[in-house]
Amino acid sequence: MRVYFYNLLAAIVILSAIYSCTNETDASKELNLTISLLGTPQCNNQKSAEILGNTSVFQSCIEYSFDQSSKRLSIKHYNACFNCCPESLYCTIIDRNDTIIIQEFEQHMGCKCNCLYDLNLEVNGIESGKYQLRIIEPYAGIQDKLRFELDLLKQKSGTFCVTRSQYPWGE
């Protein structure tokens, strides 16, 4: 009986130590974000259908705008690369503390070619704040990452671009 009591006491001490080490402020920072891909993006024959400033086919660019009252972040991803004939395109979103990760996907590669698309994304449930925004592109490989600071307290809209040198960018 005494051994059982000491084992129970040890378990209680260990569990209380584990729970006392969790950071409650991190849990309160978690957002309940949702993401939608608007419309049905079409292959742009290896160039952006819309022109963003001086965007070239050698760039992958993000243009964003934030509406604080609706907690909506609108994102346009110019020159996103996918298969020429995907069954569908979709995105997922994860928020970790101050980092928002958007990952882009295609379902079923139907052709043996790649193409550039312009995506219109909408993130709902976002609060004014400072974040690291990361866009994970399926075909970017080891090229520069679409990763930048998003300070929605100071700047409600903006752009960010990275240079691309591999197919189909610039082809």
Side-chain angles (χ1 to χ4, degrees):
M1 183 71 169
R2 187 176 265 185
V3 171
Y4 176 75
F5 175 75
Y6 287 123
N7 286 340
L8 181 61
L9 183 61
I12 291 171
V13 169
I14 290 171
L15 286 175
S16 62
I18 289 171
Y19 285 111
S20 68
C21 292
T22 60
N23 189 344
E24 291 179 19
T25 59
D26 287 348
S28 67
K29 280 184 167 182
E30 286 188 27
L31 304 170
N32 188 19
L33 301 180
T34 60
I35 190 165
S36 302
L37 176 61
L38 306 176
T40 306
Q42 299 297 312
C43 175
N44 297 332
N45 295 321
Q46 289 137 352
K47 63 181 176 180
S48 178
E50 297 181 42
I51 302 300
L52 169 66
N54 294 325
T55 303
S56 77
V57 293
F58 293 104
Q59 292 181 311
S60 182
C61 294
I62 296 296
E63 178 181 54
Y64 70 90
S65 63
F66 176 60
D67 182 348
Q68 186 172 354
S69 62
S70 65
K71 298 181 181 180
R72 180 177 299 129
L73 179 65
S74 298
I75 298 173
K76 288 187 177 187
H77 182 181
Y78 297 98
N79 293 334
C81 178
F82 294 97
N83 187 266
C84 292
C85 313
E87 187 175 302
S88 64
L89 303 177
Y90 63 98
C91 299
T92 61
I93 190 165
I94 299 170
D95 66 286
R96 292 188 183 136
N97 298 324
D98 68 342
T99 302
I100 298 171
I101 302 166
I102 297 173
Q103 188 162 4
E104 301 171 340
F105 295 95
E106 64 189 11
Q107 186 171 354
H108 185 68
M109 298 181 298
C111 300
K112 293 184 179 180
C113 58
N114 292 330
C115 192
L116 299 179
Y117 295 76
D118 294 335
L119 306 182
N120 288 309
L121 308 172
E122 189 174 89
V123 177
N124 288 296
I126 193 162
E127 301 285 343
S128 291
K130 190 183 261 190
Y131 305 95
Q132 291 295 316
L133 181 64
R134 293 177 50 203
I135 311 287
I136 301 174
E137 303 172 277
Y139 293 98
I142 61 170
Q143 299 180 88
D144 289 340
K145 307 296 182 209
L146 270 173
R147 179 182 305 166
F148 62 99
E149 183 176 275
L150 188 65
D151 190 346
L152 300 177
L153 294 168
K154 293 181 180 176
Q155 193 170 352
K156 305 295 185 209
S157 63
T159 59
F160 179 80
C161 296
V162 291
T163 301
R164 299 283 186 241
S165 58
Q166 296 176 345
Y167 169 79
W169 293 278
E171 291 289 316

